[in-house]
Amino acid sequence: MSAIESEVLGRAQEFQHGNKGPVTASRHRRNALVYAGLALLAFLPLLTGAAASWQAAGLGLLLPGGGFLAVGGGWVLLLPVTLALFWLACVAWFWAGMVVAPLFVWLGSAALAGLLVGDAIWPPAVLLAPAAAGGIFWWFRRARERREAADAARFALRQQFFEGSRLEVNERAAQEPVAGTRELTSEQLAAARYVLDRALQPVGEYAGYTIIDQFQPAALRYQINHLGFALGMLRSHYAPNFAGYLDEAQRNLVETYLVKRVWDYWVLESMWGHFNFTSFDPARKDNIMLTGWYGLHVNQYMLSSGDRRYGEPGSLTFRLNARTAYPHDAHTLAQSVYENYRQSDFCLFPCEPNWVYPICNMYGLGSLAAHDAVFGTDYARSVLPQWLHMLETEFTDRKGSLIGLRSYWTGLEIPFYSGEAGFAFFANVFSPALARRLWAIGRKELGFCIAPDADGKPRLSIPPAALSFIDTIDPGNYRRGALFAYAAVAICAREFGDDDLAEAAQRSMDQDCGREERDGVTSYREASTLANVWAVESKLMRTGDFRNSFVKAPPDGARTGPQLAGARYPDVLVAKATSSGRDLELVLEPGHGASRQKLELARLAPGLDYAVEGRPDLAFRADDAGKATLEVELAGRIALKIAPAA
């Protein structure tokens, strides 16, 4: 680690107080100049005695709908209507990068006022339009001042508990499990099957997914990525020596992401957000919600499996139609993220055109760290000092929290959810210091209450006062639901080694979220696919698992030792598959009752005799290709240790 990185990471451990950074300040000055020019243009028709239509349209430039004041009469009621439409247009701008929406409402209302006005404007409009604009500006300024005062008070409160909470986080952290020692429990296997059932569908099929829109958190891409993250952790920590249907499932997810239905939202966002009507390459400019998240997913698969196919040129090709395709690979995704960071004034760069979301940028930096782990590059370390500096100066508010959204073009901050308690584990991939800082704040402020349930077992409750409205919404289907919040707490608790809290959160999931078991698969019927997948991740995880699955390759035996290359799903559930280099340890459970099952083995020493510990009847010899087939009776949990015969 370089000296400058150590300095920045050390600073990330401290509790920082945010303010308006220099890039944001320059954007705000530019806004003022642009609006001053707009105001001058608004009054120019009045000053020059232009026709009433020009005067009305001019007043419409002062604020959306202002021109209707010039029309007079009942038309003035269109001012509040237009302001409401403008607000909805801004929501569309955020929701889908539709920058044309607010421009259309503002400029369109000005033009319409010009068409509606008679031979002369309503005289009071000359004063009312600027007064209305000034009143709106004053209201927003007062709201900001109140928010900043509240943030300052909260910052002072946080200063009182932060150091103690950070020490508590460190003291409670359980040790990371020793590699190669872990086995999936029956409960974990039942949870993992929720993921496998979806991932083993043919590429381009989406049974069991939540399908609403492709712009916000319910989009297919987020479900696909987190399905992949779950399988990546399963493979890294429990079954690094299993290929078979786990390979198939992971590759299916990577390649399903390339289906046009998943990524063609970018065609629309390019047109109505970038005014780009010719090239719709989803992995070139902005769009970190694709390049960052997908890059993290792809590199995690390659790190855990040893498969480097997605580093080959064109291996990740986004095909728009028979004539147009955008060839990419793991390297071009990483280069895109890196170059966008380097070219952005904020370092952090947009998801949708214009909107910079720090949480998505955590995935982006994590994707660089994962690429570095797979290919030995230096992307994350080289960009991290500047990235953390800009996060601290441009995207941290006065209470020390991450700013939810900032407009890249205007620098304006938009209140949006970015809670510390739910997202700290993302940061752990590239900056454990920053991650623990976020968790120390979030864990304390949620005010967890762990109390016995009816059976005397601890469960989690979170005081309603600690929850914002957004905390009670399932982002995977935009409905009320508690699973996502419980799962987020459980994931963070597991990542930072707070096992008591994680188990209490998982008990609350089971009791409050409609847990059901069907055909050996555990899920929660009162939640979206995305929330269910987060719940699976929380059940698979132990201390440091999220980070390690992206930046720490499995032991060498996973790359060189014998491998379970084939088994039938769901008849054979693989709870463990590890190797020290020469042997192979397997733990298997039946998925559909007792049966005789065939196991395909690979990466054995060609022509060598092998024994199964305690089972002389299962001895076999590897063929000249280092492969063999083993048949076993699978009526319950069985453990097999396969090694060269003495």
Side-chain angles (χ1 to χ4, degrees), residues 29 81 131-132 210 364 423 428 450 548 558 561 580 646:
R29 288 193 295 270
V81 172
T210 302
F423 297 117
N428 206 37
I450 299 178
N548 289 337
S580 63

Side-chain angles (χ1 to χ4, degrees), residues 507-546:
R507 192 163 289 109
S508 296
M509 288 184 214
D510 291 345
Q511 294 174 1
D512 298 350
C513 302
R515 174 192 166 107
E516 62 182 9
E517 297 180 28
R518 183 176 300 175
D519 297 328
V521 181
T522 300
S523 64
Y524 299 89
R525 63 179 176 272
E526 297 175 7
S528 66
T529 300
L530 183 63
N532 267 285
V533 176
W534 277 54
V536 174
E537 291 176 275
S538 75
K539 293 179 181 181
L540 297 177
M541 289 172 62
R542 294 298 181 267
T543 309
D545 275 1
F546 194 78

Side-chain angles (χ1 to χ4, degrees), residues 69-70 120-128:
L69 294 173
I121 66 170
W122 186 43
V126 178
L127 297 176
L128 290 176

